[in-house]
Amino acid sequence: RLTSDELRRKILQGGYDENMHAIARMVSQMKSPVIIRWGQEMEDKSGRFSWSGWAPNDYITAYRHMMDIVRKEAPNAKLMWSPKGEDGLQAYYPGDNYVDFVGLSVFGLEAFDKIEHGGPWTFGQSLKKGYSLVEKYNKPIWVAELGYEGNDAYIKPWMNDVTLKTTEFPKLEEVVYFNDKDVHPWPHNLGKPDWRVVRNDQ
């Protein structure tokens, strides 16, 4: 895995252009609609992704460069700019011409909520901050990654709430469930949550 700085320099120098051209050409041949979500959660400071935490201008330059390739090779593909939903995401906005959808990440982990918030949070509480930061862009908003883990009393309200259209989030159009184990440990020594709906070990 490249360091954050190595990855940044390689992308900005065109080191992945050939890869992106090849991927976009494959996308152009698909019959179903395709949304490209590139460089997600760029404002995250946890070190989860090598591209997170770059200087905003570098990220925007890299994002636009890669999406220009997609637009050339696969003009029918839609582009999703997908911050995590944290403070500072505004600095990474690449401009209206490079965003068809905004995608947020929303995860509910009961054990984390107890430590951070003193009790369980709902889907609405977890979405509210990120939504409020991106609604001004007047783009359709998706929850591009959703997951929840806890006891039945914690999970059932999430299962219900994510299916409801509410006046609180009028621009929220779609929710995509992240049906897999997390690949990174969570804070407070909580390990890697298992977001899978049906687990093979049960």
Side-chain angles (χ1 to χ4, degrees):
R1 180 177 178 180
L2 298 179
T3 66
S4 178
D5 189 56
E6 288 171 339
L7 180 64
R8 178 185 58 82
R9 284 189 283 108
K10 188 170 182 180
I11 290 175
L12 293 176
Q13 292 170 0
Y16 289 107
D17 286 9
E18 184 177 340
N19 303 63
M20 186 58 87
H21 277 286
I23 292 169
R25 282 194 293 269
M26 292 178 66
V27 166
S28 71
Q29 298 170 18
M30 295 180 177
K31 295 180 181 179
S32 59
V34 176
I35 299 172
I36 303 295
R37 177 177 179 249
W38 187 89
Q40 74 274 12
E41 300 185 15
M42 72 299 297
E43 86 280 22
D44 180 60
K45 296 180 175 62
S46 70
R48 184 181 181 94
F49 298 116
S50 299
W51 56 85
S52 298
W54 289 351
N57 285 342
D58 285 345
Y59 174 84
I60 290 171
T61 299
Y63 179 95
R64 289 177 175 176
H65 178 67
M66 288 301 190
M67 296 307 96
D68 282 339
I69 293 174
V70 171
R71 286 256 170 89
K72 177 181 179 181
E73 300 284 2
N76 292 327
K78 301 295 185 181
L79 310 183
M80 177 179 282
W81 175 70
S82 194
K84 185 175 183 179
E86 302 287 344
D87 291 325
L89 65 82
Q90 301 94 325
Y92 294 89
Y93 188 66
D96 288 346
N97 292 336
Y98 285 87
V99 179
D100 297 307
F101 303 96
V102 173
L104 296 169
S105 300
V106 179
F107 290 91
L109 182 60
E110 185 177 13
F112 179 82
D113 288 355
K114 288 179 179 178
I115 296 170
E116 288 286 318
H117 310 303
W121 264 28
T122 64
F123 169 68
Q125 286 174 302
S126 301
L127 172 61
K128 186 173 183 178
K129 179 180 178 179
Y131 184 95
S132 68
L133 292 172
V134 301
E135 64 178 332
K136 67 180 180 180
Y137 298 121
N138 292 315
K139 300 289 184 177
I141 296 172
W142 288 30
V143 174
E145 292 186 23
L146 171 75
Y148 37 81
E149 183 187 279
N151 62 32
D152 285 348
Y154 180 81
I155 288 175
K156 285 181 179 178
W158 277 75
M159 293 174 65
N160 180 68
D161 292 351
V162 299
T163 66
L164 301 178
K165 187 75 172 178
T166 68
T167 57
E168 187 177 8
F169 307 116
K171 293 185 175 68
L172 180 62
E173 292 193 349
E174 302 285 348
V175 175
V176 181
Y177 197 83
F178 188 86
N179 192 36
D180 204 349
K181 292 181 178 181
D182 208 316
V183 296
H184 292 277
W186 272 49
H188 309 299
N189 295 315
L190 294 176
K192 300 175 182 179
D194 190 344
W195 311 115
R196 293 176 296 174
V197 176
V198 178
R199 301 177 184 178
N200 296 329
D201 55 349
Q202 292 183 338

